[in-house]
Amino acid sequence: MIAGSLTQWPDERQFSHPVLRKALDYLAKTDFKKLEDGKYPIQDEDMYAVVMTISGKEASEQPAEKHETYFDIHLLLEGTEIIGWQLQDGSEAPSQGYDSEKDFALYAELGNESYLKLLPGMFVVLFPEDLHRPGLSESVPASIRKAVVKIRHALMKL
């Protein structure tokens, strides 16, 4: 997992993989206030953004997830979001097995979950080995608007 802020992106850009640069450049340059919720192509189905408005939940109401085909970059646009995170170590048992069409497995309980609080402009890059529980909020209900860029795993191979 990588966490950062778009305010620091111009200085940190030089240290990133070219594919992450393309995705984060898109996030930095896009005026999301002009976009409705929906799916926006960046590089066909290999890289695309999903803009969404969700209602924040408590951790007990939101399963953790894991992807195998896509990396995720979550950018918070409005509100406050808490994302649970745990590196997959093999001790976790999915509550719903991997669905290759939807690219996720779900997990109810994580033994060593940490939490990251995102404020508008902050992002987190989640790799396939990162179990994550997005969409959490400190007070329920709370409105969260975010953009998630999906990056096909094969693009990241050098």
Side-chain angles (χ1 to χ4, degrees), residues 26-111:
Y26 171 86
L27 291 171
K29 293 176 183 175
T30 301
D31 184 354
F32 289 100
K33 292 178 182 173
K34 294 181 178 178
L35 296 182
E36 294 184 18
D37 288 3
K39 183 175 175 180
Y40 297 89
I42 302 171
Q43 188 175 322
D44 301 315
E45 286 298 306
D46 287 336
M47 185 186 308
Y48 59 90
V50 179
V51 178
M52 63 187 82
T53 303
I54 60 173
S55 182
K57 298 179 180 178
E58 295 179 6
S60 62
E61 299 173 335
Q62 176 68 25
E65 57 192 53
K66 176 191 180 304
H67 309 292
E68 293 183 16
T69 303
Y70 288 93
F71 286 68
D72 278 1
I73 302 177
H74 293 242
L75 170 68
L76 186 65
L77 302 171
E78 297 173 14
T80 301
E81 180 182 21
I82 298 170
I83 294 182
W85 172 84
Q86 179 178 312
L87 183 63
Q88 185 178 17
D89 63 12
S91 67
E92 313 80 13
S95 57
Q96 181 179 326
Y98 181 71
D99 181 329
S100 61
E101 285 187 30
K102 296 180 180 176
D103 187 36
F104 68 76
L106 298 178
Y107 297 79
E109 299 293 325
L110 299 178

Side-chain angles (χ1 to χ4, degrees), residues 15 19 36 51 76 83-84 92-93 136-137 144-145 154:
F15 304 112
V19 173
E36 294 184 18
V51 178
L76 186 65
I83 294 182
E92 313 80 13
L136 306 180
S137 60
I144 297 169
R145 187 154 197 262

Side-chain angles (χ1 to χ4, degrees), residues 90-158:
S91 67
E92 313 80 13
S95 57
Q96 181 179 326
Y98 181 71
D99 181 329
S100 61
E101 285 187 30
K102 296 180 180 176
D103 187 36
F104 68 76
L106 298 178
Y107 297 79
E109 299 293 325
L110 299 178
N112 295 307
E113 189 170 8
S114 298
Y115 296 92
L116 177 64
K117 181 178 179 178
L118 298 181
L119 301 174
M122 294 176 69
F123 64 85
V124 60
V125 179
L126 297 157
F127 297 88
E129 64 273 10
D130 292 325
L131 300 171
H132 55 286
R133 191 182 313 266
L136 306 180
S137 60
E138 294 174 313
S139 60
V140 177
S143 181
I144 297 169
R145 187 154 197 262
K146 64 191 294 181
V148 178
V149 172
K150 306 291 281 184
I151 302 170
R152 191 176 300 276
H153 185 273
L155 292 180
M156 297 294 287
K157 294 182 179 179
L158 296 175

